[in-house]
Amino acid sequence: MLGNIGAVIFCAADPGELANWYAVKFLGTKPAEADGDHYGLMHGNHYLGFEKMNPSPPTGAMQLYFETDDVDADFATIKARGADVVQDPDTMDWGGRAACFKDPAGNRVWIFKMMEHSG
């Protein structure tokens, strides 16, 4: 049986820019640490890595979802840090509340909370 995902590695033309967008603008932490062309940071128990890729990968090649307890509050915080907004907070057809940002590589980065159903 598989366990948790151990790491997510992003490939980008400029891994430092992408790593620091996630660290500073999205997560609100210190800038990512560099080791040559590889940048990395921890988010909870999860490792996010960023590596150089030539030629550049296609823009918007992935979507990433971060669960939160308060979509609206976290949306306001991330937006205030200068992240590009794709979608303001909204209640989705699938029963959750979500908002979306775009990272410098064109990937969509969602924050979401599943809503409890009554009945």
Side-chain angles (χ1 to χ4, degrees), residues 37-90:
D37 281 339
H38 182 88
Y39 292 76
L41 60 100
M42 293 297 296
H43 178 64
N45 294 327
H46 304 285
Y47 181 79
L48 301 178
F50 304 84
E51 295 181 351
K52 187 164 187 71
M53 176 183 259
N54 284 320
S56 297
T59 58
M62 81 182 314
Q63 295 188 54
L64 193 59
Y65 289 77
F66 287 84
E67 194 168 5
T68 179
D69 290 330
D70 190 335
V71 170
D72 296 272
D74 287 337
F75 173 83
T77 299
I78 295 166
K79 182 178 177 182
R81 292 184 193 132
D84 292 334
V85 174
V86 173
Q87 178 179 312
D88 289 342
D90 195 10

Side-chain angles (χ1 to χ4, degrees), residues 2-119:
L2 295 174
N4 293 327
I5 293 174
V8 174
I9 307 296
F10 295 83
C11 296
D14 187 344
E17 176 189 28
L18 192 58
N20 286 310
W21 183 89
Y22 278 91
V24 177
K25 288 190 177 181
F26 192 75
L27 298 172
T29 63
K30 64 181 182 169
E33 296 180 16
D35 181 11
D37 281 339
H38 182 88
Y39 292 76
L41 60 100
M42 293 297 296
H43 178 64
N45 294 327
H46 304 285
Y47 181 79
L48 301 178
F50 304 84
E51 295 181 351
K52 187 164 187 71
M53 176 183 259
N54 284 320
S56 297
T59 58
M62 81 182 314
Q63 295 188 54
L64 193 59
Y65 289 77
F66 287 84
E67 194 168 5
T68 179
D69 290 330
D70 190 335
V71 170
D72 296 272
D74 287 337
F75 173 83
T77 299
I78 295 166
K79 182 178 177 182
R81 292 184 193 132
D84 292 334
V85 174
V86 173
Q87 178 179 312
D88 289 342
D90 195 10
T91 301
M92 310 303 285
D93 294 348
W94 44 266
R97 187 151 179 82
C100 186
F101 299 92
K102 181 176 69 174
D103 73 16
N107 299 307
R108 291 186 180 219
V109 185
W110 293 85
I111 56 175
F112 77 98
K113 177 179 181 165
M114 295 303 298
M115 307 300 281
E116 295 191 25
H117 297 283
S118 59

